[in-house]
Amino acid sequence: MSTTAPRADDHILFVGDIQGSHGPLTRLLKCSGFNPDKHQLIPLGDTINRGPANLATLKTLHGIGATPIVGNHELGVLEGYRSKILPSWLKRQTVAKDLFRDRQVDAWIDWIASWPTFLIGPGYIAVHAGLHPVLSLLETPDSFLTRVRICNRKGELPSNWDGLNHSFPRAYHPWHRWYRGRKHVFYGHWARMGVCHGERTTGLDSGCVYGNPLSAIWFPSMRMVQSN
């Protein structure tokens, strides 16, 4: 576990995919020196679903006034919960065992549904998966913002890439290869890639739910902090 206290000008802590890993989240908040009265916490999507303590994670985030980004897992949870028959894949997820059994589940679902698909602030953009190389954020479908890993320069997604390796089809590259914006983009979604620092992009999904550290970064100092 690395301890990285915020600088005086740090006001945002971006954190990668939590996936219901409440223990690492609480340890991260402690070792980072996060203060909800001074700082904003922005989880970068996939905040719940696979981990052991989804409800506790939501309660902690809500209690400190966090501003989570919607990830593909949240979209799947919302769609599945609102369907007439709960999909079999969702029955196997831990959200079905804790969140869906809570008496306040509808209120939690409403809160999750209110999360944005991206945030823009002075010097930064926060999104779960990535940005389209051609379309503006408002023009980009949620499915792209929450799922893209690689694309071509037109923003087209490969039809035969399973995402399980780092060999990409010809003319396809990680989405940030095409990024030319000035704001720094913080994203998650790609645990196999791990923490990924670029000139104007930072990926923070270090696969916490698979036993790796939970990763976060202070902004604007860009100081990393991790907790397992």
Side-chain angles (χ1 to χ4, degrees), residues 3 29 68 75:
T3 301
L29 293 173
L75 292 182

Side-chain angles (χ1 to χ4, degrees), residues 137-187:
L137 276 164
L138 291 176
E139 294 172 324
T140 306
D142 291 351
S143 58
F144 191 99
L145 294 173
T146 59
R147 293 183 179 276
V148 65
R149 290 190 175 105
I150 67 173
C151 62
N152 62 20
R153 65 175 62 251
K154 296 180 180 180
E156 297 167 337
L157 304 178
S159 58
N160 58 348
W161 184 67
D162 59 12
L164 300 180
N165 57 64
H166 297 306
S167 297
F168 310 134
R170 185 177 180 181
Y172 289 86
H173 298 279
W175 66 269
H176 45 79
R177 166 86 172 260
W178 317 113
Y179 179 62
R180 298 294 183 268
R182 295 183 177 181
K183 292 179 181 288
H184 198 95
V185 182
F186 297 93
Y187 65 98

Side-chain angles (χ1 to χ4, degrees), residues 106-126:
D106 289 330
W108 290 118
I109 290 294
D110 288 343
W111 185 48
I112 295 169
S114 74
W115 296 355
T117 51
F118 61 86
L119 285 174
I120 302 177
Y124 74 84
I125 296 173

Side-chain angles (χ1 to χ4, degrees), residues 46-59:
D46 287 3
T47 299
I48 58 169
N49 197 27
R50 286 179 172 161
N54 300 284
L55 183 58
T57 296
L58 290 173
K59 287 181 177 179

Side-chain angles (χ1 to χ4, degrees), residues 19 27 40 43 51 57 63 65 68 87 100 129 144 174 176 181 185 195 219 227-228:
Q19 286 279 17
R27 292 192 291 273
Q40 179 184 16
T57 296
F100 288 178
F144 191 99
H176 45 79
V185 182
V195 174
F219 183 81
S227 176
N228 54 22

